[in-house]
């Protein structure tokens, strides 16, 4: 069984913070490009952040720059999305993902290259 298990979602007031965790089992995240995605009702899935296998490339969608941080903890085979200064527009189901990008691992994976997905965790930002 190769899977990603998410945790950390919940209800938070605007301006608050949450940290999402994504723990891998059955495979080692060191060998994968990873990313976080979100999907709000009636909207397409959006890539929030990604990091290449090598760590050379880290990207954020414009709406979360300066507020969200992606990170990895190889010792725990886990990666995270730290979300600060949350806004109502951040409300969505968040998914973690891991995949293979062809080549030396210098770039984030394309959306179609993510092979493993978390089950999703709801983040609701509301007062």
């Amino acid at each position: 069984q190769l899977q990603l298990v998410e945790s950390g979602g919940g209800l938070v007031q605007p301006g608050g913070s949450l940290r999402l965790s994504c723990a891998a089992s059955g495979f080692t995240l060191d060998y994968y490009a990873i990313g976080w995605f979100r999907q709000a009702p009636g909207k397409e899935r959006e890539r929030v952040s990604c990091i290449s296998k090598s760590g050379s490339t880290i990207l954020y969608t414009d709406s979360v720059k300066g507020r969200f941080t992606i990170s990895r903890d190889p010792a725990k085979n886990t990666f995270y999305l730290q979300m600060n200064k949350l806004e109502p527009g951040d409300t969505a189901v968040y998914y973690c993902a891991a995949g293979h990008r062809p080549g030396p691992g210098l770039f984030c994976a394309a959306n179609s290259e993510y092979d493993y997905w978390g089950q999703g965790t709801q983040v609701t930002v509301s007062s």
Side-chain angles (χ1 to χ4, degrees):
Q1 57 181 25
L2 284 65
Q3 62 182 37
L4 299 173
V5 179
E6 298 182 43
S7 62
L11 174 65
V12 64
Q13 294 185 356
S17 297
L18 288 172
R19 189 173 81 158
L20 306 183
S21 298
C22 185
S25 63
F27 66 100
T28 300
L29 287 173
D30 293 353
Y31 306 142
Y32 289 81
I34 58 173
W36 287 96
F37 297 77
R38 66 187 182 187
Q39 188 166 23
K43 300 182 68 175
E44 295 184 353
R45 185 180 62 195
E46 173 189 32
R47 190 182 70 189
V48 176
S49 183
C50 61
I51 183 168
S52 63
K53 183 177 69 176
S54 69
S56 296
T57 299
I58 301 174
L59 300 176
Y60 299 94
T61 192
D62 285 346
S63 64
V64 309
K65 286 180 179 177
R67 300 189 297 119
F68 290 12
T69 303
I70 189 171
S71 63
R72 291 190 285 197
D73 186 346
K76 296 182 178 180
N77 205 28
T78 299
F79 63 102
Y80 306 93
L81 185 68
Q82 178 67 47
M83 304 185 294
N84 298 326
K85 300 179 180 179
L86 283 161
E87 304 169 354
D90 297 319
T91 297
V93 178
Y94 284 70
Y95 300 90
C96 60
H100 288 292
R101 173 70 172 177
L106 299 177
F107 307 106
C108 284
N111 289 356
S112 63
E113 294 168 336
Y114 287 101
D115 298 319
Y116 305 106
W117 292 83
Q119 79 280 10
T121 185
Q122 177 71 46
V123 172
T124 302
V125 185
S126 177
S127 58

